[in-house]
Amino acid sequence: MPADFLWGAATAAYQVEGAVADDGRSPSIWDTFSHTPGRVHGGDTGDVATDHYRLFRSDVALMRQLGLGAYRFSVAWARIVPAPGGRVEPRGVAFYDRLVDELLAQGVEPALTLYHWDLPQYLQDAGGWTHRDTASRFAEYAGVVGRALGDRVRIWTTLNEPWCSAFLGYGSGVHAPGVTDPAASLTAHHHLMLAHGEAVAALRAELPSEGRISIALNLAAVRAASADPADTDAVRRVDGLANRIFLDPLLRGGYPPDVLGDTASVTDWSFVRDGDLAAISRPIDEMGLNYYTPSVVAGGAEPGDPRDDGHGVSDHSPWPACDDIRFLHAPGPRTAMGWPIDPTGLYDIIVRVRDEAPELPLMVTENGAAYPDTVGADGRIADPERQAYIAAHLGAVARAVADGARVRGYFVWSLLDNFEWAYGYAKRFGIVRVDFATRDRTLKDSAHWYASVIAAHRGRHGNGESQGA
Ligand code: FCB
C-alpha cells in the first residue's frame, strides 16, 4: 500500500451510539422501524446499542491502541436538526465536537459520513426520500455540520450506500421506513442522488480547501450464472440498477437510457427535473466503495422461484422490474450473513471505477465479515475466519493498487459488534467484541492482527511512531 495509506475502521450512528433520547435527539426512521414488532430480529433496537455515545472516549483509546489511522463514523441528523424548521440543537453538535477533538488528540483522523440511513422521522412523516424537499433539508443539514466541524474534519462522505436507502427502504421494505413500492424506490433513489449533489455544494461553501468530499457506494460485482444470453442480459439489468444508476449520474451527468427503459413499466421518471443531473454530477474528491460479496444472476425466473439476493427476506424485490431475474449464490464458503466470500469482487469494482474515473481517488469505506464468535475459557476471542476474510480482501486492494487504482485507504466494518439493522445484535461484524449485557469491549484476535498489519506498514514506511500497546 502507498506510504500514506489510511488504515481505518468504521461504524454508523444508529448502530453504535444508543442514547436515543439524550441531548435533544428526536426519533429517526430506524427508531420507529426497530420499535415496530416483527421488523428486527429478536425485537432488538438501537436504544442502547454499544453505548458509544457515552463510551466514545474509551473507544477512541481502543482505536489508538490498535494504531488506527482513521475512524469512519456517521452523524445522526436527528441530533443536529431534531425538529421541522431547521433549528440546530447545540448539544447534538457538541457531541460530535467532542468526538472529533478526542480523535484528533489521539492521532486518529476523523472520516465523517453525514447520512447512514437514519432519516429524522419528522421528514419521513412528510414523505421521506420520496419527497423532493428532503434533498434540500439534507443540504441545509450538511452545511450546518460542515460549518461546525469543517475546521477539523478533512474526510467527508455525503451518503452511505444510497442503494440500500432507496431499494431496501422503499422497495423490499427490509430496512426503514419499510415501504414496498418499486416506483417509490426509484423516486427515493433520485432524491437521494439530488441530496448528495446539493450537499456537495453546501459542503464546498463551508469547507476549507483541504476538505475532501465523497459518497460511499455499495457497487455490485455482478456475474452471470452462465453464458446464456438470458443470464448476460440479467447482468446488464442488475448492473444498471446497482451500479450505472449511480456512476452515470455522478460521473457523467445522466441516467443510463437502458435503465430508464427497463423500468418504464414502474415509473416515467418525471421526478427528474431540469438541472438535477448537473447538481448530481458536481465534482467530488474521492469515492468510497463498500464491498462484502459478489452477486450472481440468471434470467428466466418463474413466479415462486426462491429469491435470495443476500439483502434480507421479503415478499417484495428490491430490484424494480426484475421479477424474472434469479439471484444465486457464488460457490464457496460463506460468512454468518450467508454471503459467499470472494475478494475478486472487490478487485473488480475498484478496477471498474479506476477505468471509469481514472483520476478519482478511492477508499474502501467498508469491508468485513460476521461470524458467531465465541469467547474462550481464557477470555480470548479467536476469529480466524474474520482475519482471513480481511486479509484476503486487503490482498485484493493491494492487487488493484498494483494495477494502478488510486486507493487511499481501507476501513474494516466494523470496529465494534453493533446493531446490524434487520438482524439486530444477532450478527457480529466487530474486530472488537461487545458484550451487550455489560457493554464491555474485548479485542478479538482479528483486532490484534489488524494492529500488527498497520504497525508493519508504518515500520516499512518509516513513520512507525509508536502508538499504544
Ligand atoms: C453495509 C452497511 C453497514 C453494515 C454492513 C454489514 O451495507 O453500510 O452499516 O450493516 O453492511
Side-chain angles (χ1 to χ4, degrees):
M1 305 300 187
D4 57 355
F5 194 78
L6 274 181
W7 298 90
T11 65
Y14 189 70
Q15 296 182 275
V16 298
E17 284 181 359
V20 291
D22 284 43
D23 295 337
R25 179 190 183 278
S26 69
S28 79
I29 54 175
W30 269 98
D31 296 279
T32 308
F33 193 76
S34 66
H35 280 272
T36 305
R39 291 303 205 172
V40 174
H41 174 91
D44 293 346
T45 75
D47 287 1
V48 183
T50 73
D51 211 11
H52 181 66
Y53 195 79
R54 291 192 186 78
L55 301 177
F56 76 92
R57 285 187 203 282
S58 49
D59 287 338
V60 176
L62 283 179
M63 298 176 210
R64 184 187 169 98
Q65 184 186 341
L66 294 174
L68 292 191
Y71 173 51
R72 175 173 181 249
F73 63 95
S74 80
V75 174
W77 188 348
R79 291 195 192 279
I80 307 298
V81 190
R87 187 189 64 84
V88 175
E89 171 52 66
R91 292 172 296 171
V93 176
F95 168 69
Y96 298 103
D97 236 3
R98 291 194 295 275
L99 173 61
V100 164
D101 285 345
E102 186 67 17
L103 288 165
L104 293 173
Q106 301 301 325
V108 181
E109 170 138 28
L112 184 154
T113 299
L114 284 165
Y115 186 71
H116 201 124
W117 306 353
D118 45 355
L119 186 73
Q121 181 62 44
Y122 67 85
L123 290 174
Q124 182 59 36
D125 295 341
W129 289 113
T130 62
H131 187 44
R132 187 178 168 92
D133 197 50
T134 301
S136 311
R137 301 287 82 74
F138 181 66
E140 284 165 15
Y141 153 68
V144 168
V145 182
R147 203 167 314 136
L149 302 174
D151 57 334
R152 284 155 291 154
V153 175
R154 208 167 50 101
I155 303 173
W156 293 78
T157 298
T158 55
L159 305 177
N160 177 71
E161 299 191 1
W163 184 87
C164 295
S165 300
F167 298 103
L168 301 182
Y170 293 82
S172 66
V174 300
H175 280 184
V179 175
T180 54
D181 173 356
S185 70
L186 288 163
T187 313
H189 161 76
H190 178 65
H191 292 152
L192 281 152
M193 298 309 287
L194 182 61
H196 157 80
E198 300 294 8
V200 169
L203 286 174
R204 235 12 124 200
E206 299 294 345
L207 299 185
S209 57
E210 314 82 74
R212 307 186 59 81
I213 304 175
S214 65
I215 182 169
L217 301 176
N218 54 321
L219 296 184
V222 195
R223 290 158 186 179
S226 79
D228 187 298
D231 296 353
T232 50
D233 195 57
V235 170
R236 177 191 62 75
R237 286 161 62 198
V238 172
D239 177 59
L241 287 163
N243 300 328
R244 291 181 288 116
I245 201 175
F246 297 98
L247 294 175
D248 285 17
L250 288 167
L251 303 175
R252 285 177 281 278
Y255 282 118
D258 62 319
V259 172
L260 304 186
D262 290 342
T263 56
S265 62
V266 169
T267 176
D268 62 6
W269 290 75
S270 55
F271 42 77
V272 180
R273 299 204 190 150
D274 283 354
D276 287 1
L277 285 153
I280 296 169
S281 57
R282 285 189 174 115
I284 52 177
D285 304 303
E286 58 197 14
M287 187 174 287
L289 298 176
N290 296 357
Y291 173 82
Y292 293 90
T293 190
S295 308
V296 179
V297 298
E302 303 286 346
D305 273 357
R307 196 192 51 234
D308 178 2
D309 63 0
H311 291 292
V313 176
S314 165
D315 293 337
H316 303 268
S317 171
W319 304 96
C322 287
D323 288 343
D324 55 329
I325 293 178
R326 274 178 304 149
F327 289 81
L328 311 169
H329 280 298
R334 303 183 191 181
T335 69
M337 298 297 282
W339 296 345
I341 301 164
D342 185 347
T344 62
L346 178 55
Y347 175 86
D348 291 347
I349 62 168
I350 293 173
V351 163
R352 181 200 189 139
V353 180
R354 176 204 67 185
D355 290 344
E356 292 200 26
E359 301 307 318
L360 190 63
L362 306 176
M363 296 220 285
V364 177
T365 30
E366 286 182 24
N367 175 245
Y371 286 102
D373 305 314
T374 47
V375 184
D378 54 357
R380 186 178 141 200
I381 300 134
D383 60 341
E385 302 96 338
R386 181 176 292 104
Q387 178 176 321
Y389 179 100
I390 297 170
H393 287 75
L394 279 170
V397 177
R399 218 154 47 84
V401 168
D403 290 345
R406 301 179 59 192
V407 187
R408 302 177 57 243
Y410 172 93
F411 291 79
V412 172
W413 184 272
S414 175
L415 177 72
L416 302 169
D417 290 337
N418 61 47
F419 176 81
E420 178 46 36
W421 308 113
Y423 297 89
Y425 299 101
K427 304 293 180 200
R428 293 179 176 273
F429 273 92
I431 55 173
V432 176
R433 181 178 177 89
V434 176
D435 177 329
F436 288 105
T438 61
R439 267 80 203 177
D440 285 347
R441 275 72 161 145
T442 311
L443 302 192
K444 302 178 190 177
D445 282 3
S446 58
H448 292 293
W449 166 82
Y450 192 51
S452 73
V453 171
I454 298 170
H457 173 92
R458 291 225 170 92
R460 242 190 329 274
H461 293 283
N463 56 348
E465 82 203 71
S466 87
Q467 289 200 327

